[in-house]
Amino acid sequence: MLQRIDDALWVHREPKRAGGIELGRTMTVARLPDHTLWVHGPTACTSKLRRMIDALGPVRWIVAPNRIHTNYYPEWAAAYPEARFLGTSGLEQDFPTWPLNG
């Protein structure tokens, strides 16, 4: 599920269809110099994926680069309440109950 790209970089890919077109979805996990993890473009937070990520280190940052990448934010917020959640401007108005940090 997690594909190692480099010593501190992994990707997870899963299918995603929109309008009859296969677009795919890619999440990136990076290990920072302090050994915490930065998750970019979160996908479904399955128990198997979570175990793999937890084995890499503690998740401290979860980033949605745009509104398309917000589908799984609630799952990740529940799984990693200690993480900081960052998103594109406007998300705080769209989702006022989400734990977004600026």
Side-chain angles (χ1 to χ4, degrees), residues 3-79:
Q3 176 187 359
R4 183 176 174 265
I5 303 299
D6 199 10
D7 289 339
L9 190 64
W10 299 263
V11 295
H12 168 69
R13 291 184 175 93
E14 61 184 36
K16 167 80 174 154
R17 292 188 70 79
I21 299 169
E22 180 58 44
L23 300 174
R25 182 184 292 266
T26 301
M27 175 180 76
T28 304
V29 178
R31 184 181 294 128
L32 303 175
D34 66 357
H35 299 286
T36 61
L37 301 178
W38 179 83
V39 177
H40 183 270
T43 61
C45 190
T46 65
S47 58
K48 183 177 181 180
L49 180 59
R50 191 169 168 201
R51 281 190 305 274
M52 295 175 82
I53 290 173
D54 289 346
L56 300 174
V59 174
R60 291 292 178 258
W61 300 94
I62 300 173
V63 181
N66 56 48
R67 291 180 176 161
I68 295 170
H69 291 273
T70 59
N71 295 350
Y72 300 107
Y73 248 39
E75 294 175 23
W76 285 82

